[in-house]
Amino acid sequence: MVLDPSEIQSEIAQLETRLQEMRAQLDASIYPSPPSSYPDNKIPWTMPSSTAFYNNKFRADAVRSSSLHALLLLSDSALPLGSFAYSSGLESYLAHNKPLRTNPVTSFHRFLKLSIASLASTSLPYVLAGYRQPEDLETLDNDLDASTPCIVAQRASVAQGRALMGVWERAFRVSFARPGGTDASADVAVSAIDDFSDALKSTFDNADELGPMGHFAPLWGVVCRAMGLDLQQTAYIFVLNHAKAVLSAAVRASVMGPYQAQNILASQKLQDTIMSRIEREWDTEVDQAGQVVPALDLWVGRHELLYSRIFNS
Amino acid sequence: MRQPAMPIRSPFESSIAKPGQGTVVLSLLPPNNPTLTTLTYKYPLKLVPRSGGFTPSPESSSLSESCPSRPVHLYLLTYGGGLLPGDHIEVSIKLDPRTRMVVTTPQGSTKIFKTEPGNSDCPNVIKGHRKQMPANPHLSDMSQQSLDVKIGRQAALCYLPDPSVPFQNSRYAQVQTFTVDAAAKGDQRSSLCVLDWVTQGRTSRGENWNFRFWRGRNEIWATNEITGKSRLLLRDSVILDDETDDLNDSDESNEDMPSQAGLLPLNIIQERTRPHGVVGTLILSGPVFESLGSYLLDQFTSQPRIGSRNWSSESSSAPESSPGMKGDVTWTAARVRAGFVLVKFGAKDFETAKLWLGGLLREEGTIVREFGEEALFCL
């Protein structure tokens, strides 16, 4: 493959801006402050700086240097992770709380709040740890597997984790893992995924059931780092994607219509909820992660007992 | 009397231990004689052993070839029957290969006494005995309990305590770590049965999840004694936090508001445990509890499907009578990794949960057969 000089030049410019950006990130990599939940502070996705809006000129560099592209890829509901197959306990919750169905939307709001709190307390620490220490991926995977209390949740997490591995290897890796290593921060993550992938494949046929599993949360953290997202984006998008999946499940379970779902998704309340949960778990070590909603474990575990089901969890 | 392999520690050594610490080592002396080679404890903790109460008969035991040893019963007590703010209980137990131990709490539920908000004085229970609380109220006034049990190969632990009952405004954290021998395979493996449950408080006084903080963490690690490597096999962690610290951090004078602010719609813990008044976890592993685990899984999967229609009008009420079918207990059982069976349950109150779980365990019979009726003392 031969690139023409102008392409190479733009590539170089892009790499240089990325390099600068990642160096800046590396400097701030101690991440001393949690993300702020105040709306007037910076929101976690870094859009091109506000000057881009004042100048009417399209600034390609600014878009390139931000991780906007990767961010949009990862937040796409068409990202083939199979998230649509899981309701994260919503279906079971509805079946267990029939009397509440007189007002399904209120009941759903309660579930969404519980679900986000639970996800943030159980899985988010693993996302953050995966991002912060990609080299620990295998240990994180083992510990998360040990902390997953039921088969239903384990299946959902592993299926999505392996799907993410698949998307990374077959689609993203070519574009985001650049050989030559101009970007040390992402390279650590890329090699961690490669190692983990090898470990996953080599123990796949092994009868030893304690081999690597490929859980979703720690992999998400590592993949986001490999794709150049910062930690706040990684955490926010993880929780937001979960909220999207639950809302999408609610639409398909006839709890509400699609406009109402988008209304909730767009609401400031949801943003505040997500922010406050992330802020709360920002410094939670993985061994301190735990279930804050015991009732949710019961609903998810009892999903298997539903007479009819449209979701896998 | 024969000289034991390991000299019995001087009882005076216990004075070296820090308050609330206790150490127990259970060894098997030849030919088949379980002996506590170490037993130390310090106020406010008390450990009382009792042995010889029950002998599993080789023919009734499912593991007759391994010739199970007599279980030793250990009572876990605290003065006052509960934990005060700032109390730290640390119990360390080592079960040598082929020994068996039953641990119960004969005082009834572990009461977690309340934390006086912003009160730097010692609570005026048992004058002067408890240590002074350090200045920082947020960390110091937490009651803590840690239990560390090393279970050798073919050894078995049966730990079915009463639930912990956190009083209004109490704060409590508990860590229970169980370590098994990673090298043991098949019937050589260590066995354990651990129950951990928490209630909404004193219902007679109208308490309904009104405590500040309760966390229970149970971890099972496999350690290979030759290589020294440890691996986490299972972690069960429940955090019930009313999250008022977040709101009141800046405003200390507001500290005693939450009790009056009970008029708020629902506190966070109520919201997250609703509709249950007690939640808990039962962890089973190893050859001794294999059949019990399978039984519980069968009971779980044979529960009636949720949302199914009963087409025949005169349905047989036979399955309803089974203890696993009680409608007022919501539970789930799963065989998770490494052969562990994890049961999680929620029930409307303590009595319901106790009857349900006690019923299941008695009906299956493993615990009574291997450890005696006294192992189910709390159920």
Side-chain angles (χ1 to χ4, degrees):
Chain A
M1 190 174 76
V2 183
L3 296 166
D4 75 67
S6 67
E7 269 183 43
I8 294 173
Q9 266 181 354
S10 82
E11 176 85 357
I12 289 169
Q14 190 184 341
L15 286 174
E16 272 170 357
T17 48
R18 267 183 63 77
L19 179 65
Q20 275 180 354
E21 188 205 22
M22 295 314 293
R23 284 214 172 114
Q25 257 192 44
L26 196 64
D27 292 341
S29 64
I30 312 109
Y31 301 105
S33 60
S36 173
S37 61
Y38 299 108
D40 53 345
N41 281 19
K42 211 177 71 172
I43 45 177
W45 50 86
T46 23
M47 290 290 286
S49 62
S50 58
T51 50
F53 295 114
Y54 303 136
N55 303 339
N56 257 338
K57 213 172 92 200
F58 178 64
R59 291 183 54 208
D61 291 353
V63 179
R64 279 207 198 95
S65 67
S66 75
S67 42
L68 183 65
H69 189 67
L71 195 59
L72 292 176
L73 288 176
L74 288 168
S75 62
D76 188 0
S77 57
L79 190 67
L81 300 183
S83 322
F84 57 84
Y86 308 98
S87 77
S88 308
L90 173 65
E91 192 178 22
S92 181
Y93 166 79
L94 294 172
H96 280 89
N97 294 280
K98 278 276 164 60
L100 295 173
R101 294 202 80 175
T102 45
N103 191 347
V105 175
T106 318
S107 172
F108 174 79
H109 272 293
R110 174 185 175 226
F111 178 81
L112 186 62
K113 217 172 109 197
L114 295 180
S115 183
I116 290 174
S118 169
L119 179 89
S121 73
T122 54
S123 301
L124 188 60
Y126 286 91
V127 175
L128 299 173
Y131 190 101
R132 287 167 174 146
Q133 298 109 27
E135 61 281 1
D136 292 345
L137 187 53
E138 212 169 323
T139 314
L140 292 171
D141 185 64
N142 173 68
D143 291 4
L144 183 55
D145 195 48
S147 311
T148 306
C150 70
I151 302 295
V152 180
Q154 195 220 30
R155 272 200 302 256
S157 172
V158 169
Q160 293 181 75
R162 291 198 173 164
L164 182 63
M165 282 292 272
V167 178
W168 166 258
E169 286 185 337
R170 290 180 206 173
F172 293 162
R173 195 181 190 288
V174 189
S175 311
F176 285 93
R178 296 194 182 80
T182 50
D183 187 347
S185 169
D187 280 350
V188 180
V190 171
S191 61
I193 304 173
D194 290 347
D195 292 348
F196 187 69
S197 168
D198 290 345
L200 202 58
K201 279 165 191 156
S202 59
T203 49
F204 194 70
D205 302 322
N206 199 324
D208 177 20
E209 57 173 322
L210 288 182
M213 297 297 292
H215 276 279
F216 186 58
L219 264 174
W220 181 262
V222 183
V223 168
C224 285
R225 176 157 167 177
M227 292 176 71
L229 267 59
D230 71 32
L231 187 55
Q232 312 201 352
Q233 293 171 329
T234 303
Y236 192 86
I237 201 172
F238 178 74
V239 185
L240 180 67
N241 277 356
H242 174 77
K244 278 159 74 176
V246 173
L247 276 159
S248 154
V251 172
R252 282 172 290 147
S254 319
V255 176
M256 61 180 68
Y259 289 109
Q260 199 164 12
Q262 287 298 315
N263 183 0
I264 295 174
L265 197 55
S267 67
Q268 185 64 41
K269 195 174 160 226
L270 181 69
Q271 290 184 45
D272 291 346
T273 308
I274 294 176
M275 287 294 201
S276 67
R277 297 326 299 184
I278 294 175
E279 200 172 357
R280 207 181 154 75
E281 307 296 342
W282 191 254
D283 295 317
T284 306
E285 299 289 330
V286 288
D287 60 354
Q288 301 292 319
Q291 179 59 271
V292 294
V293 189
L296 194 67
D297 275 343
L298 298 175
W299 295 322
V300 173
R302 289 167 65 84
H303 187 267
E304 288 182 335
L305 291 180
L306 299 188
Y307 180 71
S308 64
R309 20 179 207 259
I310 50 178
F311 298 103
N312 290 340
S313 86
Chain B
M1 220 177 129
R2 192 187 299 118
Q3 183 74 21
M6 192 189 291
I8 293 168
R9 293 257 182 93
S10 154
F12 301 109
E13 232 174 279
S14 68
S15 60
I16 299 163
K18 284 195 286 188
Q21 274 186 343
T23 310
V24 180
V25 177
L26 178 61
S27 309
L28 197 65
L29 301 182
N32 199 10
N33 190 18
T35 307
L36 289 166
T37 46
T38 303
L39 177 68
T40 64
Y41 55 86
K42 183 141 185 188
Y43 179 89
L45 172 73
K46 190 168 183 178
L47 299 170
V48 179
R50 178 170 165 263
S51 63
F54 171 79
T55 312
S57 55
E59 54 270 25
S60 74
S61 171
S62 58
L63 299 141
S64 46
E65 73 275 15
S66 66
C67 188
S69 63
R70 259 183 304 120
V72 171
H73 196 143
L74 186 74
Y75 295 113
L76 196 63
L77 299 117
T78 49
Y79 284 87
L83 294 171
L84 291 176
D87 276 355
H88 289 226
I89 299 289
E90 269 184 69
V91 181
S92 160
I93 298 175
K94 184 164 180 283
L95 304 183
D96 282 353
R98 295 180 50 224
T99 56
R100 289 182 171 196
M101 182 174 273
V102 172
V103 181
T104 57
T105 49
Q107 291 167 312
S109 54
T110 304
K111 294 167 244 331
I112 317 295
F113 293 110
K114 83 169 167 188
T115 302
E116 294 290 350
N119 181 5
S120 59
D121 296 334
C122 241
N124 49 4
V125 188
I126 313 178
K127 47 184 176 184
H129 275 260
R130 307 280 168 133
K131 66 176 174 183
Q132 292 283 333
M133 288 192 294
N136 180 355
H138 279 297
L139 290 173
S140 61
D141 62 8
M142 184 116 73
S143 316
Q144 294 183 39
Q145 178 162 345
S146 76
L147 175 68
D148 185 7
V149 188
K150 294 195 170 36
I151 309 170
R153 55 176 60 205
Q154 282 181 284
L157 171 76
C158 181
Y159 178 39
L160 297 168
D162 277 299
S164 72
V165 179
F167 289 9
Q168 186 162 22
N169 286 330
S170 66
R171 303 155 141 275
Y172 176 70
Q174 147 183 315
V175 180
Q176 305 190 128
T177 313
F178 305 90
T179 311
V180 299
D181 186 347
K185 299 277 179 244
D187 278 353
Q188 302 277 304
R189 283 176 302 149
S190 327
S191 299
L192 71 126
C193 166
V194 175
L195 173 64
D196 186 13
W197 44 339
V198 56
T199 75
Q200 59 198 342
R202 293 166 295 179
T203 40
S204 57
R205 303 190 60 162
E207 288 180 355
N208 180 19
W209 305 108
N210 297 121
F211 48 87
R212 304 280 296 279
F213 183 83
W214 186 94
R215 106 171 269 159
R217 194 165 93 213
N218 300 299
E219 291 180 352
I220 295 144
W221 291 80
T223 303
N224 191 320
E225 281 175 7
I226 301 150
T227 61
K229 277 188 185 164
S230 290
R231 179 180 193 131
L232 182 66
L233 294 181
L234 191 84
R235 177 181 286 147
D236 165 67
S237 179
V238 171
I239 304 163
L240 301 172
D241 185 349
D242 73 353
E243 300 186 7
T244 48
D245 286 348
D246 306 21
L247 307 171
N248 294 342
D249 258 353
S250 53
D251 192 3
E252 288 290 328
S253 63
N254 208 16
E255 281 283 350
D256 31 6
M257 283 309 284
S259 53
Q260 286 142 26
L263 300 170
L264 286 170
L266 268 181
N267 83 32
I268 292 179
I269 305 175
Q270 284 162 6
E271 179 67 30
R272 290 175 178 171
T273 48
R274 205 172 65 172
H276 309 298
V278 52
V279 291
T281 307
L282 178 73
I283 303 167
L284 299 171
S285 138
V288 173
F289 301 106
E290 188 60 46
S291 63
L292 176 59
S294 305
Y295 169 81
L296 291 173
L297 284 171
D298 284 349
Q299 288 288 315
F300 173 65
T301 47
S302 59
Q303 286 183 92
R305 303 288 107 170
I306 302 157
S308 70
R309 297 273 161 77
N310 197 353
W311 300 110
S312 64
S313 52
E314 69 275 353
S315 67
S316 62
S317 56
E320 300 292 324
S321 60
S322 173
M325 304 288 181
K326 291 265 174 62
D328 37 10
V329 177
T330 308
W331 66 292
T332 166
R335 192 178 287 279
V336 289
R337 65 207 310 246
F340 281 90
V341 172
L342 194 61
V343 177
K344 295 211 152 240
F345 59 89
K348 70 174 162 60
D349 55 28
F350 162 61
E351 283 299 322
T352 312
K354 179 175 159 171
L355 277 175
W356 165 77
L357 190 59
L360 277 177
L361 297 183
R362 284 195 175 85
E363 185 173 290
E364 198 276 336
T366 295
I367 300 218
V368 173
R369 196 167 57 240
E370 304 282 343
F371 297 92
E373 177 65 31
E374 64 190 56
L376 292 175
F377 180 84
C378 302
L379 296 167

